[in-house]
Amino acid sequence: MSKKILAVLSEYGYWGIELVGPLEKLEEAGYTVEFITPNGKKAEALPPSYDTTYVDPPLGTCVTTPLAAEKVKAFEATNRLETRQNLSEVIPERPYFSTPDFLRAFEKYYSDLKIAQDKLTEEYAAILLVGGSGPIIDMVNNQRVHDLILAFYNKQMPVAGICYGVAPLAFARDFNERKSIIKGKHVTGHCIEYDYHDGTGFLHTDLNMGPPPYVLEYVLSDAVGPEGQYHGNFGKETSVIVDYPFITARSLQCSFEFGEQFVNVLEKGTVRYGW
C-alpha cells in the first residue's frame, strides 16, 4: 500500500491545527503528506488559528492553545506549502450541458476523469480534507473536489475530513445517481452550537459574512438519512467518528485524536470508532 496521503486545502484559509494535528500523527506513522489546492494557489493558516488570545465567540474561550500556536507557526515557517499541486490541472471540469458538441465533450470528461482518478488512487493511500472557514468558498461545492473524493470512495479507500472539511462529503455524488455517498453512514462535523452569529471570515477577500452560509449539522443530518446518524457530541471535548471509509472530526479540538484514528484506519484496519 502507498504511504502517501493527499491533503486538500482551501486557498481562502485553513485552520492551522486541523492540518498540523493529523499531519503530525501521519508522519509519525511513516506517511508522507502532499498538498493540493483548488487552483494551485498557496494555502495559508487563518490568523486566529495561531493566535492564543483569540476568543471563539460560541465557546467564549480561547481555543488556540500555546502548543497548537507553536506547532502551526513552526509548520508555516517550513514553507512546505510552497510545494503543492493544482487540482484544476489534475481533475477535468465537467462540461455544461450547453457546451457545443456536448455528448462528445461529456464522454471525454468521463474518459479523462477515470484516468485521473486511477492515477490518484494508485499514488495515494487516502485523502485528507482540512477544515477552517476557507473550504466554504472553494471546496464544499467544487466539482473537482467531489470527483477527487469519489475516486477514493469508489475504491473504498479512506476519506478523512475535519470541521468544514467534512462538508464536501455531503455533496460528493455520482452525477447520474445523485445520492449522497454518506447516506446511511455515521459522521460528525461542525455542530450548530459552534456556529458563529457573526464574523465568519476568510483570507484574500473582503468578504466577512455573519453566520456560515449553511448549517453544516443540518446538511450532514439530511445527507446521512434515517439509516445513518450525525453525531454532534456537543458537551464532549472531542467528536471523532469512523464509519469506513470515512473518518470525520467535529472541530479543531479533535485534531490529534482525528489523526490517531486516521492512522488506525490505515495501519490497523479500524472500520468503526466513536459510535
Side-chain angles (χ1 to χ4, degrees):
M1 186 181 73
S2 169
K3 296 287 283 188
K4 291 170 63 177
I5 308 296
L6 185 61
V8 188
L9 294 158
S10 169
E11 296 170 7
Y12 291 88
Y14 73 91
W15 195 272
I17 201 64
E18 292 179 1
L19 169 62
V20 176
L23 176 72
E24 182 176 290
K25 298 299 182 181
L26 288 162
E27 291 183 336
E28 286 174 355
Y31 288 85
T32 299
V33 179
E34 296 184 353
F35 311 103
I36 192 166
T37 61
N39 293 294
K41 296 178 182 178
K42 182 181 177 181
E44 297 176 55
L46 292 156
S49 71
Y50 50 86
D51 179 1
T52 58
T53 67
Y54 174 73
V55 176
D56 184 76
L59 297 179
T61 188
C62 296
V63 291
T64 300
T65 65
L67 178 62
E70 179 183 333
K71 288 179 179 292
V72 172
K73 289 177 181 178
F75 173 77
E76 289 275 291
T78 65
N79 292 319
R80 284 184 58 183
L81 294 176
E82 295 290 348
T83 302
R84 59 199 177 272
Q85 296 184 58
N86 180 345
L87 183 61
S88 70
E89 296 176 350
V90 174
I91 296 285
E93 183 176 49
R94 185 174 62 238
Y96 283 120
F97 274 54
S98 60
T99 298
D101 199 19
F102 167 73
L103 184 55
R104 299 288 85 78
F106 206 38
E107 289 173 344
K108 185 177 187 305
Y109 157 72
Y110 274 118
S111 176
D112 291 346
L113 178 61
K114 184 180 187 305
I115 293 170
Q117 289 178 325
D118 286 345
K119 183 178 179 181
L120 286 162
T121 52
E122 288 170 4
E123 184 171 1
Y124 298 99
I127 57 168
L128 165 62
L129 303 162
V130 181
S133 56
I136 292 171
I137 294 182
D138 63 353
M139 285 173 55
V140 174
N141 190 26
N142 184 324
Q143 168 251 309
R144 287 186 167 107
V145 172
H146 299 167
D147 281 342
L148 176 61
I149 292 168
L150 288 167
F152 290 84
Y153 169 76
N154 287 336
K155 293 189 177 180
Q156 287 296 285
M157 298 171 70
V159 176
I162 181 169
C163 195
Y164 281 105
V166 178
L169 302 183
F171 299 102
R173 306 171 184 221
D174 179 277
F175 188 65
N176 293 303
E177 295 182 5
R178 307 195 186 186
K179 295 179 182 177
S180 175
I181 60 174
I182 58 172
K183 183 178 180 181
K185 289 293 186 177
H186 290 253
V187 300
T188 189
H190 206 274
C191 59
I192 192 171
E193 291 87 355
Y194 282 20
D195 283 354
Y196 286 15
H197 291 169
D198 184 44
T200 303
F202 312 92
L203 293 179
H204 310 302
T205 175
D206 292 333
L207 176 62
N208 193 314
M209 62 176 66
Y214 53 84
V215 179
L216 181 53
E217 176 176 335
Y218 293 167
V219 170
L220 294 174
S221 296
D222 290 347
V224 298
E227 303 91 353
Q229 187 174 343
Y230 165 81
H231 302 265
N233 286 319
F234 180 66
K236 297 182 180 180
E237 287 189 9
T238 61
S239 179
V240 177
I241 301 291
V242 175
D243 191 355
Y244 195 86
F246 303 110
I247 308 111
T248 55
R250 185 181 63 203
S251 195
L252 64 104
Q253 297 89 346
C254 312
S255 298
F256 293 104
E257 182 183 348
F258 172 61
E260 289 168 358
Q261 294 309 317
F262 197 171
V263 170
N264 285 340
V265 168
L266 291 163
E267 294 289 301
K268 299 179 180 179
T270 298
V271 296
R272 174 173 176 160
Y273 174 86
W275 58 282

